[in-house]
Amino acid sequence: GAGVSQSPSNKVTEKGKYVELRCDPISGHTALYWYRQSLGQGPEFLIYFQGTGAADDSGLPNDRFFAVRPEGSVSTLKIQRTERGDSAVYLCASSYQRGSLTDTQYFGPGTRLTVL
Amino acid sequence: KQEVTQIPAALSVPEGENLVLNCSFTDSAIYNLQWFRQDPGKGLTSLLLIQSSQREQTSGRLNASLDKSSGRSTLYIAASQPGDSATYLCAVRLAGGSYIPTFGRGTSLIVHP
């Protein structure tokens, strides 16, 4: 079946602009994660959804970052007033459910965000 | 705060060698540990998932072991091939919490013919 998809694959924007990044998880996966990966680093956790609700948003760096998952499937990561330091690859992952033996995360290809 | 360290940071070997990649973590109260592969410009692909109650997992030429008490995991790659060239990341999730994973920085592997 289809894996996790993300769009756009690349996004170039100017400092101060607003951007939205989209994630389509695997059908039936209730858990969805957003990560940010800078060059030479491992993915850094941003936010985790279980169903429609944000179960843990402790990784969001500041209030310019916000994410939604209104119907428990597609999620959108929103960044306001982008800064050059926001440039990174934004990864989305989904898993069947939290806390089960089948809880393997499946990652999308990422969106490479460049803020000029 | 959980810290995950991967050694070495980079590795270049000739084809056919057996390899050991290391992952260490500071908090042994983990829920599980997962090894991923990441190709340049791509997302992560799960290789092996080890639950805290398990000692090892195997898939083809890959074997991952877990020693919770010492805070270590190793990924063993047998008979390496050029197609194994990628960055290998380990991620650890703590038990009893929100199950958010902490990743290491990865080991960049090049297997040359």
Side-chain angles (χ1 to χ4, degrees):
Chain A
V4 178
S5 61
Q6 293 185 244
S7 61
S9 55
N10 281 283
K11 177 69 177 179
V12 180
T13 191
E14 294 179 345
K15 181 175 177 294
K17 299 291 188 182
Y18 168 82
V19 296
E20 288 189 353
L21 311 179
R22 176 186 169 106
C23 173
D24 284 81
I26 293 173
S27 178
H29 281 191
T30 61
L32 185 146
Y33 303 77
W34 282 100
Y35 298 87
R36 178 169 67 176
Q37 186 175 25
S38 300
L39 190 64
Q41 305 291 319
E44 172 191 20
F45 167 74
L46 295 177
I47 187 169
Y48 157 63
F49 288 90
Q50 184 64 35
T52 60
D56 188 332
D57 64 357
S58 62
L60 295 178
N62 51 59
D63 61 6
R64 296 187 297 105
F65 288 74
F66 189 71
V68 296
R69 195 186 185 198
E71 298 179 356
S73 178
V74 172
S75 177
T76 304
L77 178 65
K78 308 180 181 190
I79 309 174
Q80 299 178 321
R81 305 183 304 280
T82 52
E83 299 176 357
R84 292 193 179 87
D86 299 335
S87 297
V89 175
Y90 289 80
L91 296 167
C92 175
S94 70
S95 65
Y96 181 63
Q97 64 182 46
R98 187 189 75 181
S100 78
L101 291 177
T102 60
D103 192 16
T104 297
Q105 293 187 65
Y106 297 87
F107 280 76
T111 293
R112 180 174 298 277
L113 175 66
T114 303
V115 182
L116 302 176
Chain B
K1 179 186 175 183
Q2 178 75 281
E3 293 183 5
V4 180
T5 303
Q6 290 190 245
I7 294 173
L11 189 59
S12 179
V13 300
E15 182 176 7
E17 279 204 5
N18 300 324
L19 309 171
V20 175
L21 309 182
N22 298 290
C23 173
S24 61
F25 45 94
T26 54
D27 189 336
S28 62
I30 67 169
Y31 179 70
N32 62 30
L33 183 146
Q34 194 164 5
W35 282 94
F36 293 88
R37 168 187 174 134
Q38 186 172 30
D39 293 281
K42 303 292 179 62
L44 280 66
T45 301
S46 177
L47 297 173
L48 292 164
L49 172 72
I50 309 176
Q51 297 294 344
S52 62
S53 59
Q54 298 174 322
R55 298 277 301 179
E56 66 177 340
Q57 285 283 342
T58 298
S59 176
R61 294 182 294 108
L62 304 179
N63 175 276
S65 66
L66 174 64
D67 183 343
K68 265 200 325 178
S69 60
S70 65
R72 294 181 181 176
S73 175
T74 61
L75 179 66
Y76 178 82
I77 304 176
S80 58
Q81 303 171 357
D84 295 331
S85 299
T87 296
Y88 291 81
L89 294 144
C90 72
V92 176
R93 279 191 270 191
L94 288 175
S98 64
Y99 304 98
I100 301 304
T102 300
F103 283 83
R105 292 188 176 187
T107 294
S108 177
L109 173 65
I110 296 176
V111 181
H112 47 87

